[in-house]
Amino acid sequence: MSNFIIDSYKYLVESFISAEGGTETTNGDFKVHKFTSNGTFTINSVGNSGNNVVEYLVIAGGGGGGWNLAGGGGAGGMLTATGLTVSAQDYSITVGAGGSASSSGSRNGGKGGNSVFSSITSIGGGGGRGDTSSTTGIDGGSGGG
């Protein structure tokens, strides 16, 4: 009597994240999703072998300028990193608007809006000081002048 041994192998096909939302472009091996207004980033499926992480760049709105020749608005905060683990779901995207300019010498410019992706919140820029205001510029991602 003869013995036969049959080895069966399972071939692993590497898969990656499938996602949609925003303006989609390709940069080398990467798919980029750019949001310039509020929207939804949808992860349709995650990959295998640890292919469920994303890189992100979240920039908040800049602060509004002060009246006349007063201080300028501060830049919106910027957060970037690699390795944020995602799952198959919808992620609400908030894009912070720029702050309003001062409407009089006694008013500071408005603070920029925060931008949000998942648990990541980038703080809006501070408004610039009004030219007759006795206060300083407004704190923010970068403070106003």
Side-chain angles (χ1 to χ4, degrees):
M1 177 181 232
S2 298
N3 290 325
F4 292 97
I5 298 174
I6 300 174
D7 289 331
S8 62
Y9 295 96
K10 216 179 199 183
Y11 292 96
L12 177 65
V13 176
E14 192 169 29
S15 63
F16 299 94
I17 293 173
S18 170
E20 58 187 291
T23 301
E24 299 176 20
T25 58
T26 302
N27 184 358
D29 290 336
F30 294 90
K31 186 174 177 186
V32 178
H33 298 264
K34 178 181 175 181
F35 290 85
T36 56
S37 62
N38 296 345
T40 303
F41 179 53
T42 302
I43 305 289
N44 297 313
S45 63
V46 294
N48 56 19
S49 302
N51 292 324
N52 62 337
V53 295
V54 297
E55 297 180 21
Y56 63 84
L57 170 64
V58 180
I59 302 173
W67 179 257
N68 200 8
L69 299 174
M78 180 187 88
L79 297 172
T80 184
T82 60
L84 177 69
T85 301
V86 294
S87 58
Q89 65 178 11
D90 288 343
Y91 291 89
S92 179
I93 302 293
T94 302
V95 176
S100 59
S102 173
S103 59
S104 74
S106 62
R107 290 184 43 131
N108 289 342
K111 184 174 179 178
N114 296 345
S115 292
V116 181
F117 162 58
S118 185
S119 61
I120 312 304
T121 300
S122 188
I123 306 299
R129 177 182 175 274
D131 68 355
T132 60
S133 173
S134 62
T135 64
T136 59
I138 300 170
D139 290 339
S142 288

